[in-house]
Amino acid sequence: LDGFRRAWPGKLVVKGIMRPADAVRCAEHGVDGIVISNHGGKALDRAPASIEVLPAIKAAVGSRLAVMLDSGVRRGSDIVVARCLGADFVFVGRATLYGVAAAGLAGARRVLAILREEIDTTLGLIGCARFDKLGPDFILNEAANPEPGASPARPIAKAV
């Protein structure tokens, strides 16, 4: 990484990070961003989903670098959950690829419009007025202790 950082004066992003320690090493070597990605699970069928490791990686690096998520994003609600768990950016490559395969540029545009509609619907359902206001408080996790007598709510994602 040091060699790449010296050779490249622009933004340096490393893709394929799946462990907090690797994310910290990237930050220590001056990387500007990381992409949490299991590359679609193609290499290891037992690899965790990117969204499962996102909270620990975000906790490890905080705001020292941009944290991006790839792999497994199929719906607008996936994007909302990723944002709540700490992603600064979320990639939706496969969905747009399917749109292109079906209808070219118009198909990709339609996929993005559908994702936008799903994001807006999800924001409304969870009571969040704006995407940039999303955070971990919109996710219930096992550490949350509801008030005695309160009925348990179904989370939109399980934080790990």
Side-chain angles (χ1 to χ4, degrees):
L1 283 177
D2 288 335
F4 282 117
R5 180 72 285 168
R6 283 191 304 275
W8 179 251
K11 297 288 185 181
L12 181 60
V13 176
V14 175
K15 181 179 179 183
I17 301 299
M18 290 291 290
R19 298 175 350 129
D22 292 336
V24 169
R25 286 179 43 214
C26 285
E28 291 169 349
H29 288 276
V31 169
D32 298 292
I34 56 170
V35 181
I36 300 171
S37 176
N38 66 6
H39 304 288
K42 291 179 259 185
L44 297 171
D45 62 351
R46 300 287 181 186
S50 299
I51 197 113
E52 292 174 329
V53 298
L54 170 59
I57 290 173
K58 182 64 175 188
V61 298
S63 61
R64 293 193 286 171
L65 45 72
V67 175
M68 298 166 256
L69 182 93
D70 186 25
S71 304
V73 178
R74 302 291 183 266
R75 294 177 295 281
S77 59
D78 295 333
I79 297 167
V80 169
V81 170
R83 178 69 177 178
C84 288
L85 295 177
D88 297 306
F89 300 94
V90 179
F91 293 96
V92 293
R94 188 172 298 185
T96 53
L97 175 65
Y98 291 159
V100 167
L105 181 58
R109 286 185 175 144
R110 180 65 185 131
V111 165
L112 293 174
I114 290 168
L115 290 170
R116 180 74 237 183
E117 291 167 11
E118 291 175 348
I119 289 168
D120 290 343
T121 298
T122 303
L123 290 176
L125 290 171
I126 65 173
C128 184
R130 293 181 14 202
F131 187 81
D132 64 343
K133 298 296 183 190
L134 287 169
D137 53 322
F138 286 99
I139 300 282
L140 298 178
N141 62 41
E142 293 175 3
N145 295 315
E147 294 181 26
S151 62
R154 183 167 182 247
I156 60 171
K158 179 183 176 187
V160 285

Short mmCIF file of all heavy atoms in Angstrom, two decimals, residues 71-100:
data_model
loop_
_atom_site.label_atom_id
_atom_site.label_comp_id
_atom_site.label_asym_id
_atom_site.label_seq_id
_atom_site.Cartn_x
_atom_site.Cartn_y
_atom_site.Cartn_z
N SER A 71 -21.56 -5.86 -2.83
CA SER A 71 -21.95 -7.27 -2.71
C SER A 71 -23.25 -7.44 -1.94
O SER A 71 -23.37 -6.99 -0.81
CB SER A 71 -20.86 -8.12 -2.04
OG SER A 71 -19.64 -8.02 -2.73
N GLY A 72 -24.20 -8.06 -2.59
CA GLY A 72 -25.45 -8.44 -1.94
C GLY A 72 -26.52 -7.37 -1.90
O GLY A 72 -27.55 -7.58 -1.27
N VAL A 73 -26.33 -6.25 -2.55
CA VAL A 73 -27.34 -5.18 -2.53
C VAL A 73 -28.33 -5.46 -3.65
O VAL A 73 -27.99 -5.43 -4.82
CB VAL A 73 -26.67 -3.80 -2.71
CG1 VAL A 73 -27.72 -2.71 -2.73
CG2 VAL A 73 -25.66 -3.56 -1.61
N ARG A 74 -29.57 -5.72 -3.26
CA ARG A 74 -30.60 -6.06 -4.25
C ARG A 74 -31.80 -5.13 -4.20
O ARG A 74 -32.56 -5.05 -5.14
CB ARG A 74 -31.10 -7.49 -4.04
CG ARG A 74 -30.01 -8.55 -4.11
CD ARG A 74 -29.46 -8.71 -5.53
NE ARG A 74 -28.47 -9.76 -5.59
CZ ARG A 74 -27.17 -9.55 -5.47
NH1 ARG A 74 -26.69 -8.34 -5.26
NH2 ARG A 74 -26.32 -10.56 -5.54
N ARG A 75 -32.03 -4.49 -3.05
CA ARG A 75 -33.22 -3.65 -2.86
C ARG A 75 -32.83 -2.32 -2.21
O ARG A 75 -31.77 -2.21 -1.60
CB ARG A 75 -34.22 -4.36 -1.95
CG ARG A 75 -34.82 -5.61 -2.54
CD ARG A 75 -35.75 -6.33 -1.57
NE ARG A 75 -35.06 -6.85 -0.38
CZ ARG A 75 -34.35 -7.97 -0.36
NH1 ARG A 75 -34.19 -8.67 -1.44
NH2 ARG A 75 -33.78 -8.37 0.75
N GLY A 76 -33.73 -1.36 -2.32
CA GLY A 76 -33.50 -0.07 -1.67
C GLY A 76 -33.36 -0.21 -0.17
O GLY A 76 -32.57 0.51 0.45
N SER A 77 -34.08 -1.14 0.42
CA SER A 77 -33.95 -1.34 1.87
C SER A 77 -32.55 -1.82 2.24
O SER A 77 -32.06 -1.52 3.33
CB SER A 77 -35.03 -2.30 2.38
OG SER A 77 -34.91 -3.56 1.74
N ASP A 78 -31.89 -2.57 1.35
CA ASP A 78 -30.50 -2.98 1.60
C ASP A 78 -29.59 -1.75 1.71
O ASP A 78 -28.68 -1.71 2.54
CB ASP A 78 -29.97 -3.87 0.48
CG ASP A 78 -30.70 -5.20 0.36
OD1 ASP A 78 -31.23 -5.68 1.38
OD2 ASP A 78 -30.72 -5.75 -0.76
N ILE A 79 -29.85 -0.76 0.88
CA ILE A 79 -29.06 0.47 0.89
C ILE A 79 -29.30 1.23 2.19
O ILE A 79 -28.36 1.73 2.82
CB ILE A 79 -29.41 1.34 -0.34
CG1 ILE A 79 -29.02 0.59 -1.63
CG2 ILE A 79 -28.73 2.70 -0.26
CD1 ILE A 79 -29.59 1.19 -2.90
N VAL A 80 -30.55 1.29 2.62
CA VAL A 80 -30.88 1.97 3.88
C VAL A 80 -30.21 1.27 5.05
O VAL A 80 -29.60 1.93 5.91
CB VAL A 80 -32.42 2.03 4.08
CG1 VAL A 80 -32.78 2.49 5.48
CG2 VAL A 80 -33.05 2.95 3.04
N VAL A 81 -30.27 -0.04 5.10
CA VAL A 81 -29.64 -0.79 6.19
C VAL A 81 -28.13 -0.55 6.19
O VAL A 81 -27.53 -0.31 7.24
CB VAL A 81 -29.97 -2.29 6.09
CG1 VAL A 81 -29.12 -3.11 7.06
CG2 VAL A 81 -31.44 -2.53 6.37
N ALA A 82 -27.51 -0.60 5.02
CA ALA A 82 -26.06 -0.37 4.94
C ALA A 82 -25.70 1.01 5.46
O ALA A 82 -24.72 1.17 6.18
CB ALA A 82 -25.58 -0.56 3.50
N ARG A 83 -26.48 2.00 5.11
CA ARG A 83 -26.24 3.36 5.59
C ARG A 83 -26.38 3.42 7.12
O ARG A 83 -25.56 4.04 7.80
CB ARG A 83 -27.20 4.33 4.91
CG ARG A 83 -27.08 5.75 5.34
CD ARG A 83 -25.77 6.37 4.88
NE ARG A 83 -25.78 7.77 5.28
CZ ARG A 83 -24.79 8.57 5.08
NH1 ARG A 83 -23.71 8.17 4.45
NH2 ARG A 83 -24.85 9.83 5.47
N CYS A 84 -27.41 2.77 7.64
CA CYS A 84 -27.61 2.75 9.10
C CYS A 84 -26.44 2.09 9.82
O CYS A 84 -26.09 2.47 10.92
CB CYS A 84 -28.90 2.00 9.45
SG CYS A 84 -30.41 2.89 9.05
N LEU A 85 -25.84 1.10 9.18
CA LEU A 85 -24.74 0.36 9.80
C LEU A 85 -23.38 0.99 9.55
O LEU A 85 -22.36 0.45 9.98
CB LEU A 85 -24.75 -1.09 9.32
CG LEU A 85 -25.97 -1.91 9.75
CD1 LEU A 85 -25.91 -3.30 9.15
CD2 LEU A 85 -26.09 -1.96 11.26
N GLY A 86 -23.35 2.14 8.85
CA GLY A 86 -22.10 2.87 8.73
C GLY A 86 -21.54 3.09 7.35
O GLY A 86 -20.48 3.73 7.21
N ALA A 87 -22.17 2.60 6.30
CA ALA A 87 -21.63 2.79 4.95
C ALA A 87 -21.79 4.24 4.51
O ALA A 87 -22.85 4.84 4.67
CB ALA A 87 -22.34 1.87 3.96
N ASP A 88 -20.72 4.79 3.95
CA ASP A 88 -20.77 6.14 3.38
C ASP A 88 -21.31 6.08 1.94
O ASP A 88 -21.94 7.03 1.48
CB ASP A 88 -19.38 6.76 3.38
CG ASP A 88 -18.83 6.95 4.78
OD1 ASP A 88 -19.52 7.58 5.60
OD2 ASP A 88 -17.73 6.44 5.06
N PHE A 89 -21.04 4.98 1.25
CA PHE A 89 -21.49 4.76 -0.12
C PHE A 89 -21.90 3.30 -0.25
O PHE A 89 -21.36 2.43 0.43
CB PHE A 89 -20.36 5.02 -1.13
CG PHE A 89 -19.81 6.41 -1.09
CD1 PHE A 89 -18.70 6.71 -0.33
CD2 PHE A 89 -20.40 7.42 -1.84
CE1 PHE A 89 -18.17 8.00 -0.29
CE2 PHE A 89 -19.89 8.70 -1.81
CZ PHE A 89 -18.78 8.99 -1.03
N VAL A 90 -22.84 3.04 -1.15
CA VAL A 90 -23.29 1.67 -1.40
C VAL A 90 -23.34 1.47 -2.92
O VAL A 90 -23.94 2.27 -3.63
CB VAL A 90 -24.69 1.42 -0.79
CG1 VAL A 90 -25.15 0.00 -1.08
CG2 VAL A 90 -24.68 1.68 0.71
N PHE A 91 -22.71 0.40 -3.39
CA PHE A 91 -22.69 0.11 -4.82
C PHE A 91 -23.80 -0.88 -5.17
O PHE A 91 -24.07 -1.80 -4.40
CB PHE A 91 -21.33 -0.47 -5.22
CG PHE A 91 -20.21 0.52 -5.09
CD1 PHE A 91 -19.41 0.56 -3.96
CD2 PHE A 91 -19.98 1.44 -6.10
CE1 PHE A 91 -18.38 1.48 -3.84
CE2 PHE A 91 -18.95 2.37 -5.99
CZ PHE A 91 -18.15 2.39 -4.86
N VAL A 92 -24.39 -0.69 -6.33
CA VAL A 92 -25.50 -1.54 -6.77
C VAL A 92 -25.23 -2.10 -8.16
O VAL A 92 -26.10 -2.14 -9.01
CB VAL A 92 -26.84 -0.77 -6.74
CG1 VAL A 92 -27.24 -0.43 -5.33
CG2 VAL A 92 -26.77 0.49 -7.60
N GLY A 93 -24.05 -2.60 -8.38
CA GLY A 93 -23.62 -3.04 -9.70
C GLY A 93 -24.48 -4.12 -10.33
O GLY A 93 -24.87 -4.01 -11.49
N ARG A 94 -24.78 -5.19 -9.60
CA ARG A 94 -25.51 -6.29 -10.20
C ARG A 94 -26.90 -5.87 -10.65
O ARG A 94 -27.35 -6.25 -11.74
CB ARG A 94 -25.59 -7.47 -9.25
CG ARG A 94 -26.16 -8.70 -9.92
CD ARG A 94 -26.07 -9.92 -9.06
NE ARG A 94 -24.67 -10.21 -8.78
CZ ARG A 94 -24.26 -11.28 -8.12
NH1 ARG A 94 -25.13 -12.15 -7.69
NH2 ARG A 94 -22.98 -11.48 -7.90
N ALA A 95 -27.58 -5.10 -9.83
CA ALA A 95 -28.94 -4.67 -10.19
C ALA A 95 -28.93 -3.87 -11.50
O ALA A 95 -29.76 -4.09 -12.38
CB ALA A 95 -29.54 -3.84 -9.06
N THR A 96 -27.98 -2.94 -11.61
CA THR A 96 -27.93 -2.14 -12.84
C THR A 96 -27.46 -2.99 -14.03
O THR A 96 -27.91 -2.76 -15.16
CB THR A 96 -27.02 -0.91 -12.67
OG1 THR A 96 -25.74 -1.32 -12.19
CG2 THR A 96 -27.63 0.08 -11.70
N LEU A 97 -26.62 -3.97 -13.78
CA LEU A 97 -26.21 -4.88 -14.85
C LEU A 97 -27.42 -5.62 -15.41
O LEU A 97 -27.57 -5.76 -16.63
CB LEU A 97 -25.16 -5.87 -14.33
CG LEU A 97 -24.72 -6.95 -15.32
CD1 LEU A 97 -23.99 -6.34 -16.50
CD2 LEU A 97 -23.84 -7.97 -14.61
N TYR A 98 -28.29 -6.09 -14.54
CA TYR A 98 -29.50 -6.76 -15.00
C TYR A 98 -30.37 -5.80 -15.81
O TYR A 98 -30.96 -6.19 -16.82
CB TYR A 98 -30.30 -7.31 -13.82
CG TYR A 98 -29.65 -8.47 -13.11
CD1 TYR A 98 -30.01 -8.79 -11.81
CD2 TYR A 98 -28.67 -9.27 -13.71
CE1 TYR A 98 -29.43 -9.86 -11.13
CE2 TYR A 98 -28.08 -10.33 -13.04
CZ TYR A 98 -28.47 -10.63 -11.75
OH TYR A 98 -27.90 -11.67 -11.09
N GLY A 99 -30.46 -4.56 -15.37
CA GLY A 99 -31.22 -3.56 -16.11
C GLY A 99 -30.65 -3.33 -17.49
O GLY A 99 -31.40 -3.26 -18.49
N VAL A 100 -29.34 -3.23 -17.58
CA VAL A 100 -28.69 -3.05 -18.88
C VAL A 100 -28.94 -4.26 -19.77
O VAL A 100 -29.24 -4.13 -20.97
CB VAL A 100 -27.17 -2.80 -18.71
CG1 VAL A 100 -26.43 -2.92 -20.03
CG2 VAL A 100 -26.93 -1.43 -18.08
#
